[in-house]
């Protein structure tokens, strides 16, 4: 089964700063990749997904991610964060199940 | 349309007891997966049911079991509870038709505390 590695445990930013969260998965082949977000007190929500096609995918709330097959990576980016982006972010890959990374807590300071 | 509904939202049980958690998927979804979320282990896959059959299973002891009904609602059961079973249990539903190229929708979870 796939394993997923997220590079940062906790990221602290100021509003308007750019955000990039790293994600690597363990092996290649056909992969379905996801970024989920969990806002405080809320359920996991899908930010964006990659199944095939354009490796640069755009999601909700201004987030985007780039799939780089040669690096087994699927990094999440947002050019300018807002206070409301404070949340925990999970990268996930689906083989026969969703395998999640450990999560990155993002704190945006006003 | 209504989202994934999990009941109850909170539970407190004593070691050795058993517990049943319920999940109602999004209408039309036939796949229900269960995950355990803890601060130490993160999100771990328990099992997946599709059309009343367990399709995949994670690495949890046999004390963890589940089932799915003909209306796609699912229950998971944990017997002989241990302190380490304290966690947020999440249910996710999807159409389940593809090999993973479908989106999973998550419920708000059931927070189980074992004392």
């Amino acid at each position: 089964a796939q394993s997923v590695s997220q590079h940062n445990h906790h990221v602290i930013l100021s509003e308007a700063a750019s955000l990039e969260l790293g994600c690597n998965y363990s092996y290649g082949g056909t992969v379905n990749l996801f970024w989920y977000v969990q806002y405080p007190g809320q359920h996991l929500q899908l930010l964006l997904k990659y199944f095939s096609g354009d490796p640069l995918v755009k999601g909700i709330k201004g987030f985007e991610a780039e799939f780089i097959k040669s690096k087994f990576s699927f990094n999440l980016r947002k050019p300018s964060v807002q206070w409301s982006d404070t949340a925990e972010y999970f990268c996930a890959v689906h083989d026969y199940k969703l395998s999640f990374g450990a999560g990155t807590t993002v704190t945006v300071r006003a | 349309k209504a989202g994934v509904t999990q009941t109850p939202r909170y539970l407190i049980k004593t070691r050795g007891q058993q517990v049943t958690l319920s999940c109602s998927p999004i209408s039309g979804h036939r796949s229900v997966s269960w995950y355990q979320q803890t601060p130490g282990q993160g999100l771990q896959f328990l099992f997946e049911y599709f059309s009343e059959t367990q399709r995949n299973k994670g690495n949890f002891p046999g004390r963890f079991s589940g089932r799915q009904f003909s209306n796609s609602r699912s229950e998971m059961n944990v017997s002989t509870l241990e302190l380490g079973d304290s966690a947020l249990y999440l249910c996710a539903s999807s159409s389940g038709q593809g090999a993973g190229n479908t989106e999973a929708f998550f419920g708000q979870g059931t927070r189980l505390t074992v004392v």
Side-chain angles (χ1 to χ4, degrees):
Chain A
Q2 289 272 6
S3 65
V4 180
S5 172
Q6 290 186 236
H7 305 170
N8 308 96
H9 179 63
H10 193 180
V11 172
I12 301 173
L13 301 163
S14 297
E15 276 192 313
S18 63
L19 172 69
E20 179 158 3
L21 302 181
C23 172
N24 287 90
Y25 56 97
S26 53
Y27 60 86
T30 302
V31 287
N32 299 306
L33 297 160
F34 305 83
W35 275 97
Y36 280 87
V37 62
Q38 192 170 32
Y39 297 104
Q42 295 190 27
H43 62 281
L44 274 169
Q45 300 170 45
L46 183 71
L47 267 181
L48 45 78
K49 60 194 176 191
Y50 173 79
F51 295 154
S52 63
D54 188 342
L56 186 63
V57 292
K58 295 192 184 299
I60 61 170
K61 305 188 181 187
F63 285 91
E64 65 179 30
E66 186 177 13
F67 169 59
I68 303 179
K69 189 174 182 179
S70 60
K71 296 184 177 179
F72 302 112
S73 71
F74 189 55
N75 294 348
L76 180 71
R77 296 194 291 253
K78 184 170 184 178
S80 176
V81 296
Q82 301 174 309
W83 177 81
S84 57
D85 293 322
T86 294
E88 191 159 15
Y89 293 80
F90 295 91
C91 180
V93 59
H94 195 288
D95 39 21
Y96 68 92
K97 62 177 174 69
L98 273 173
S99 296
F100 286 89
T104 299
T105 300
V106 173
T107 302
V108 180
R109 293 187 168 153
Chain B
K1 52 184 175 183
V4 179
T5 304
Q6 291 188 245
T7 56
R9 291 290 311 279
Y10 302 93
L11 266 177
I12 300 176
K13 290 287 188 179
T14 304
R15 269 184 305 176
Q17 287 187 312
Q18 74 164 16
V19 68
T20 299
L21 313 182
S22 179
C23 172
S24 294
I26 290 171
S27 177
H29 283 187
R30 293 163 63 190
S31 169
V32 173
S33 298
W34 289 89
Y35 294 82
Q36 182 195 64
Q37 186 177 19
T38 60
Q41 299 296 319
L43 280 149
Q44 293 188 290
F45 172 75
L46 282 154
F47 28 67
E48 183 210 1
Y49 286 86
F50 180 80
S51 293
E52 301 180 66
T53 300
Q54 187 180 88
R55 190 156 71 170
N56 291 297
K57 189 176 188 304
N59 296 322
F60 278 80
R63 300 185 297 106
F64 292 81
S65 63
R67 59 179 175 167
Q68 188 179 32
F69 302 95
S70 58
N71 62 359
S72 293
R73 191 177 70 84
S74 176
E75 290 182 345
M76 67 163 280
N77 184 276
V78 188
S79 62
T80 319
L81 284 165
E82 300 177 0
L83 295 179
D85 297 332
S86 295
L88 181 67
Y89 289 89
L90 295 172
C91 167
S93 84
S94 72
S95 65
Q97 297 299 323
N101 57 349
T102 56
E103 179 181 345
F105 295 82
F106 284 81
Q108 293 209 284
T110 294
R111 172 76 62 187
L112 172 64
T113 303
V114 182
V115 297

